[in-house]
Amino acid sequence: MIGTIRWNFIIGLISLVITFISSISTNIWMTSLLRSIYSFFIVFILVFLFRWVLGTIGGLNQLNTDSKKTSVDDESKGTAFDAQTPDDDASIHQMLKDTLDPKAPAMDSGFAPLNPPKLSSKTNSMEPGEMAQAVRRMTEE
């Protein structure tokens, strides 16, 4: 695709202004504004399709990429950071061998399962009459 989407907005806004100015003399301002907005969207889509046709079918997109290829290489230098993790394959294999060997001393892994206290519900110590009195007091307040 040739250019940027900025071209779509610029040409669409020009069509909006021209449509509004030409139709304000014969229509009310709401009708003129609505038709201007319609013309903006129609011209926006038409310019987009025109740019796409020129870029893909016309082959003009290849001209832009050749000139940008050298500048992109210069701009991207020093912007990427390639981090690598250390190779721990030997230590992982040793740990797996130790777990399979029953004669090996048990290693303290530091893991202990969580033993939360059991939740228990309170027994209802209030009599039904006391609960009814509490509800009556609350409704009076």
Side-chain angles (χ1 to χ4, degrees):
M1 196 171 302
I2 296 175
T4 61
I5 200 164
R6 189 178 313 155
W7 284 106
N8 296 32
F9 283 115
I10 291 170
I11 296 174
L13 285 174
I14 290 171
S15 81
L16 183 135
V17 170
I18 291 172
T19 306
F20 185 76
I21 290 172
S22 65
S23 68
I24 193 71
S25 62
T26 57
N27 296 317
I28 60 174
W29 68 274
M30 271 305 276
T31 304
S32 298
L33 185 64
L34 185 65
R35 290 179 181 170
S36 300
I37 291 171
Y38 289 155
S39 82
F40 171 80
F41 285 119
I42 291 169
V43 170
F44 184 89
I45 292 170
L46 287 176
V47 171
F48 186 82
L49 291 174
F50 182 72
R51 285 179 42 231
W52 179 77
V53 166
L54 281 180
T56 56
I57 297 174
L60 296 175
N61 195 21
Q62 295 173 353
L63 297 174
N64 289 342
T65 56
D66 292 340
S67 63
K68 290 181 182 179
K69 194 175 284 187
T70 57
S71 64
V72 170
D73 292 340
D74 294 338
E75 291 175 3
S76 65
K77 286 185 179 177
T79 58
F81 177 70
D82 189 17
Q84 294 180 348
T85 57
D87 208 12
D88 291 337
D89 289 339
S91 63
I92 292 174
H93 287 297
Q94 185 62 36
M95 185 177 10
L96 290 173
K97 286 179 185 177
D98 291 343
T99 57
L100 293 176
D101 187 17
K103 297 176 187 174
M107 294 178 55
D108 184 24
S109 64
F111 174 77
L114 184 63
N115 294 322
K118 290 187 177 182
L119 297 175
S120 61
S121 61
K122 277 186 160 181
T123 57
N124 196 356
S125 62
M126 291 182 71
E127 298 285 328
E130 291 176 9
M131 287 179 27
Q133 288 294 331
V135 170
R136 286 185 193 123
R137 280 188 227 131
M138 290 174 70
T139 56
E140 290 174 1
E141 295 174 358

